[in-house]
Amino acid sequence: MSLLLQGKHVWLREMTPDDLGAVLEVYNSHPAYNLWRNGTAALSLAELEQEYKAMLDIPSGHWMIVKTVETAQTAETAQTAHAAKPEPKIIGVVHFSTAHPSPGKGWIGLFLIHWDCQGQGFGREACSLLEQYCAEQGCSQLHLGVIAEDEQTLRFWGKLGFEQYRQVTAPVGRLTQPVLLLAKQITD
């Protein structure tokens, strides 16, 4: 059975190889992130395919796409305007695990929302769905790493209640650099 997490404005479903083209657009909407990870502003489809296959081997790991949800207001507006209904589209990608490397600790390995869709609450809602799911799977904490130079991402996670507990030097993509480890208690 495929995992599906449904929210009001977004839903997350397991990623398939058919999603790779749209996911590549999400990655490449973040040239600074790609530079920090790999030293190039764009990721190739072959590189994404390799990353996708490698992450599938992580126990309890999930590659998820984030899609917009058509709201009743959007459908009504489209009908009134005699326009076609807007299609939900892939606006993000997430990789997370509920038991790797240790039980009780969920880890977000990747969380990207398309640059053009940021600041609209989609990332906040997707994170809330992940927190709920991880809590249901027995995780009391959710952890992630942020490239130390990425101040915008640090602010995002800070607003969601994540706190830094350590700085490490770690491989991120093809490069090794300072990474800030953040965590949030999601259950008591």
Side-chain angles (χ1 to χ4, degrees), residues 19-59:
D19 299 321
L20 287 170
V23 168
L24 185 63
E25 287 182 37
V26 172
Y27 268 85
N28 288 336
S29 75
H30 294 275
Y33 174 72
N34 290 327
L35 281 167
W36 286 323
R37 285 182 79 233
N38 299 318
T40 60
L43 190 70
S44 72
L45 185 57
E47 290 170 317
L48 179 57
E49 287 172 339
Q50 183 179 10
E51 187 174 323
Y52 174 69
K53 288 175 185 172
M55 293 281 200
L56 288 176
D57 292 336
I58 294 177

Side-chain angles (χ1 to χ4, degrees), residues 80-96:
T80 305
H82 301 290
K85 285 184 183 179
E87 281 291 314
K89 66 178 188 171
I90 295 174
I91 62 161
V93 59
V94 175
H95 183 269
F96 74 99

Side-chain angles (χ1 to χ4, degrees), residues 47-154:
E47 290 170 317
L48 179 57
E49 287 172 339
Q50 183 179 10
E51 187 174 323
Y52 174 69
K53 288 175 185 172
M55 293 281 200
L56 288 176
D57 292 336
I58 294 177
S60 74
H62 299 277
W63 265 104
M64 307 289 285
I65 58 159
V66 181
K67 288 186 94 169
T68 57
V69 173
E70 179 187 328
T71 63
Q73 181 181 12
T74 306
E76 184 179 302
T77 305
Q79 270 186 341
T80 305
H82 301 290
K85 285 184 183 179
E87 281 291 314
K89 66 178 188 171
I90 295 174
I91 62 161
V93 59
V94 175
H95 183 269
F96 74 99
S97 172
T98 56
H100 180 75
S102 59
K105 292 183 180 180
W107 281 88
I108 297 174
L110 175 71
F111 190 98
L112 279 178
I113 300 295
H114 194 287
W115 185 261
D116 295 341
C117 297
Q118 292 189 0
Q120 301 174 47
F122 298 131
R124 181 178 297 273
E125 184 175 347
C127 184
S128 177
L129 292 169
L130 283 178
E131 287 178 20
Q132 291 170 22
Y133 177 76
C134 289
E136 291 168 2
Q137 300 305 305
C139 296
S140 60
Q141 300 174 344
L142 196 52
H143 294 252
L144 57 97
V146 176
I147 297 168
E149 289 184 62
D150 192 351
E151 293 177 16
Q152 180 180 348
T153 300
L154 284 170

Side-chain angles (χ1 to χ4, degrees), residues 160-171:
L160 297 181
F162 285 79
E163 296 179 356
Q164 179 185 343
Y165 64 92
R166 186 180 315 154
Q167 179 173 332
V168 298
T169 300

